[in-house]
Amino acid sequence: MTKSAFARHIGSVPSRVTQMLADGMPVLPSGRIPREEALAWIEANVNRHEKPSEGDRARLARLKADLAQLDLDQRSSKLIDRAEAERTIFEIARAERDAHLAFVARAAPVIAAQIGCDGARLFSALDAAMREHLADLRDPGALA
């Protein structure tokens, strides 16, 4: 077969056939390509690289199983939206921060009256201490 005819026969282009000839595909002295020998060479040298190995097939099967499990978990509401979870956590943390700061504002005058000290100075000291404590809570490494 000619190079062009062989390229059409295998569903390729003549330039790819030229590459395969350079890689060792059999060719007759006349430049024609022996069909059966060339097909056997392609099977042994080209298609072998395109077939997935056993490890590739096993990895692909695991990935498909993981995707199926994720799809099932999502459909059965076992998964949550990350952005929504982060928004919720932020809102809870903000509410807790506000509650701690409000406690200082409520407790400072009561404590000042009980121990007989300046309420504004006590509030200022407690507020600074509470804000420092809240800043420490933002950095989990600082608590260790």
Side-chain angles (χ1 to χ4, degrees):
M1 298 179 86
T2 65
K3 190 188 314 183
S4 296
F6 187 73
R8 281 190 305 276
H9 178 69
I10 63 171
S12 189
V13 293
S15 60
R16 177 64 181 123
V17 174
T18 300
Q19 288 174 344
M20 290 187 289
L21 289 170
D23 290 340
M25 186 172 73
V27 62
L28 299 172
S30 64
R32 291 191 172 261
I33 299 170
R35 181 180 168 279
E36 295 303 319
E37 291 174 33
L39 290 174
W41 184 90
I42 289 172
E43 181 62 32
N45 294 282
V46 177
N47 290 343
R48 138 184 91 131
H49 299 295
E50 296 171 4
K51 290 180 182 175
S53 68
E54 190 63 35
D56 290 339
R57 284 191 288 271
R59 190 171 66 242
L60 181 60
R62 280 193 309 275
L63 288 172
K64 285 181 178 179
D66 289 347
L67 285 174
Q69 184 63 50
L70 281 172
D71 185 50
L72 179 64
D73 288 346
Q74 185 176 24
R75 290 173 191 263
S76 62
S77 300
K78 290 182 181 176
L79 298 179
I80 60 171
D81 180 69
R82 181 185 180 114
E84 183 180 334
E86 287 175 349
R87 276 191 305 275
T88 301
I89 290 168
F90 178 79
E91 290 170 8
I92 290 169
R94 183 187 305 172
E96 288 182 7
R97 178 205 63 196
D98 293 347
H100 282 80
L101 293 174
F103 168 78
V104 170
R106 281 191 324 272
V110 173
I111 295 171
Q114 288 174 347
I115 62 173
C117 70
D118 180 33
R121 289 184 63 200
L122 180 60
F123 171 78
S124 180
L126 284 175
D127 187 63
M130 181 60 74
R131 289 179 188 278
E132 184 178 334
H133 172 67
L134 292 172
D136 288 345
L137 289 176
R138 282 187 296 197
D139 181 16
L143 298 175

